[in-house]
Amino acid sequence: MTMNLFDSMGGIEARQEQLGPGATVLHRHAVPEETALLSALRDVVAGAPFRHMVTPGGFHMSVAVTNCGSLGWVTDRTGYRYDPIDPVSGLPWPRMPEVFLALATRAAARAGFGEYVPDACLINRYVTGARVSLHQDKNEQDFDQPIVSVSLGIPAVFLFGGLNRADRAIRVKLTHGDVVVWGGAARLRYHGILPIKEDHHPLVGDHRINLTFRKAA
Ligand code: MD6
Ligand code: FE
C-alpha cells in the first residue's frame, strides 16, 4: 500500500509507505531539517568520534558507529549492550541534540506512536561496500517502544524480513531524508542493509549516515 501526500515542504513530495503493520516509511520527512541535523551531527562526532566496533564473534563492523543520548549501543567481545559511558573516551555520550529528539518524536507520532521520547541514538556511517547483515534489535527493555531510523546521504537498500531469520525479506530503497518508524507487530522483524554502492551526495559526501533512535531503558 502506498499513499501519496504532498506536504507543504517546498514542493518536496512526502510519500508515506506502509511496510506492514507497525512499519512506516516517511519518505523525505527529514529533508527540512537536513542542515540542522548535519550541523548537530558534527558536534556529536567531535565529542564521540566514529569507530569500528568489534562484534562478539571477533569481527570488525564495516559500519563505523557512535552514539548520543543518555545511553549508547556498544558491542565488544563480551556482547552487545547499552552503556551510559563511551568506552573510548571514558565519558558520557554527547547529549542528544534537540533537533534529533524533535524529529524522532514527530516522526513517531506521524506513524502512530505518540509521546515517544528516545534515550539513545545510534549513529551509523557507511562507506562504499559497508553493510549490516540481517539482525533483530532486541537489546532494548521495552518492545512496546518503536524505533525511528533516519537516512542521510547516499542511498541504501534496506532488507526488511519477518520475525524469523529465514523469512523472505523485502527490499526498500532508502534515500536522503527518509525516516522509517517501526514498532508494534513489526518491532522484532529481521532487517539489514545491503552493501552500499558508490555514490555521492551534495551535502553529506561519499557516505551514508543512519540515525537510529531507541528507547533503550
Ligand atoms: C541502517 N538500520 O539503516 C541500519 N534497526 O543503517 C538498522 O539496523 C535499524 O534502520 C532498527 C530499526 C531501524 C533500522
Ligand atoms: Fe537494526
Side-chain angles (χ1 to χ4, degrees):
M1 292 176 275
T2 294
M3 201 168 36
N4 283 298
L5 302 172
F6 282 89
D7 255 6
S8 52
M9 275 172 52
I12 292 162
E13 183 189 354
R15 185 163 55 94
Q16 192 160 325
E17 180 183 9
Q18 207 65 36
L19 301 180
T24 307
V25 187
L26 306 169
H27 290 278
R28 312 286 285 167
H29 190 74
V31 168
E33 283 106 328
E34 59 186 359
T35 309
L37 289 169
L38 291 168
S39 154
L41 174 66
R42 271 187 286 276
D43 294 342
V44 168
V45 169
F50 283 110
R51 77 290 305 265
H52 292 275
M53 290 184 183
V54 178
T55 64
F59 296 100
H60 278 88
M61 294 176 67
S62 61
V63 172
V65 307
T66 186
N67 291 276
C68 61
S70 55
L71 289 169
W73 181 88
V74 296
T75 175
D76 59 23
R77 289 307 300 246
T78 68
Y80 307 111
R81 66 179 185 279
Y82 281 96
D83 201 314
I85 300 296
D86 175 353
V88 170
S89 67
L91 299 170
W93 297 101
R95 296 174 55 91
M96 195 178 305
E98 193 53 46
V99 63
F100 280 27
L101 188 60
L103 171 61
T105 300
R106 184 186 79 216
R110 185 71 66 93
F113 299 96
E115 290 166 42
Y116 180 58
V117 185
D119 53 15
C121 176
L122 169 65
I123 305 169
N124 300 124
R125 187 186 62 191
Y126 296 74
V127 295
T128 304
R131 60 190 289 269
V132 172
S133 56
L134 274 187
H135 66 278
Q136 289 171 297
D137 287 20
K138 55 177 185 187
N139 296 111
E140 302 75 26
Q141 302 280 342
D142 181 0
F143 296 147
D144 289 340
Q145 295 288 332
I147 291 178
V148 173
S149 163
V150 178
S151 295
L152 297 169
I154 68 176
V157 179
F158 184 57
L159 286 176
F160 198 48
L163 296 175
N164 297 297
R165 186 181 286 279
D167 291 345
R168 208 187 127 71
I170 59 167
R171 294 174 176 212
V172 183
K173 185 175 180 183
L174 296 179
T175 60
H176 180 76
D178 289 352
V179 181
V180 186
V181 180
W182 58 9
R187 181 62 179 74
L188 291 174
R189 284 176 69 171
Y190 276 86
H191 58 279
I193 295 285
L194 290 182
I196 299 284
K197 291 216 175 85
E198 186 173 358
D199 207 336
H200 181 81
H201 186 276
L203 234 49
V204 180
D206 298 339
H207 51 266
R208 170 177 185 259
I209 299 289
N210 170 258
L211 314 175
T212 328
F213 296 91
R214 297 98 188 275
K215 175 83 177 72

